[in-house]
């Protein structure tokens, strides 16, 4: 049951929230900051304490607004001179896994990237999962190295 709950939570939380910020645009199509836009992001698993670490590769849209970088539900500071940005979830994403028992799972995410050029970056990405006691699951985290390119 633990593995099933976690697998369900992982698929429902991470995949829609991180990997597929896909609004139909293709990498490279962007009108904003030269560092913002649609990128194909590749995730390489570094470490996990979770039962399952889903693959997250896919297109993500990253927006840069002044001194703020935004990736999906994550946001944080952008340093244009250093070509560096980092961010974390504005709020946890929580979903009921088993409403009849009160089992609720929540996830938060964070990233840290440095751009090599306007067309590529590399860095790290982390996810953290927590569950209500009714789920019978321990919290866990997964860490990835990432690279993005148009």
């Amino acid at each position: 049951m633990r593995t099933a709950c976690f697998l369900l939570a992982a698929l429902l939380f991470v995949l829609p929230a991180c990997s597929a910020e896909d609004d139909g645009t293709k990498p490279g199509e962007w009108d904003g900051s030269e560092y913002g836009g649609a990128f194909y992001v590749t995730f390489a698993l570094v470490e996990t304490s979770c039962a399952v670490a889903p693959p997250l590769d896919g297109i993500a849209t990253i927006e840069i607004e002044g001194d703020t970088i935004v990736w999906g539900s994550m946001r944080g500071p952008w340093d244009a001179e250093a070509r560096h940005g980092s961010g974390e979830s504005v709020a946890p994403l929580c979903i009921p896994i088993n409403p009849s028992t009160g089992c609720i799972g929540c996830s938060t995410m964070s990233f840290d990237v440095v751009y090599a050029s306007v067309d590529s970056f590399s860095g790290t990405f982390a996810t953290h999962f927590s569950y209500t006691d009714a789920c019978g699951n321990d919290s866990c985290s997964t860490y990835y190295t990432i690279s993005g390119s148009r």
Side-chain angles (χ1 to χ4, degrees):
M1 179 69 173
R2 279 186 183 194
T3 302
C5 284
F6 177 76
L7 181 58
L8 175 62
L11 292 175
L12 292 175
F13 287 10
V14 178
L15 294 177
C18 305
S19 67
E21 288 285 324
D22 187 0
D23 58 2
T25 61
K26 295 180 180 156
E29 294 179 5
W30 183 252
D31 294 333
S33 166
E34 64 182 342
Y35 289 97
F39 293 85
Y40 188 83
V41 183
T42 303
F43 291 72
L45 180 65
V46 173
E47 178 182 354
T48 187
S49 61
C50 301
V52 175
L56 302 176
D57 296 356
I59 295 176
T61 300
I62 297 174
E63 299 175 17
I64 297 173
E65 305 162 352
D67 62 355
T68 302
I69 186 169
V70 179
W71 179 354
S73 65
M74 300 172 286
R75 67 183 309 119
W78 167 252
D79 180 341
E81 187 175 317
R83 298 184 297 188
H84 173 257
S86 61
E88 58 188 33
S89 298
V90 175
L93 173 63
C94 298
I95 63 166
I97 296 171
N98 187 343
S100 65
T101 65
C103 173
I104 298 172
C106 297
S107 71
T108 57
M109 298 163 285
S110 62
F111 70 93
D112 190 286
V113 296
V114 175
Y115 282 72
S117 72
V118 296
D119 293 323
S120 66
F121 63 81
S122 61
T124 59
F125 190 92
T127 60
H128 179 75
F129 299 95
S130 60
Y131 303 91
T132 58
D133 291 339
C135 296
N137 287 1
D138 294 330
S139 62
C140 67
S141 297
T142 301
Y143 302 94
Y144 300 89
T145 57
I146 60 173
S147 60
S149 61
R150 294 191 208 258

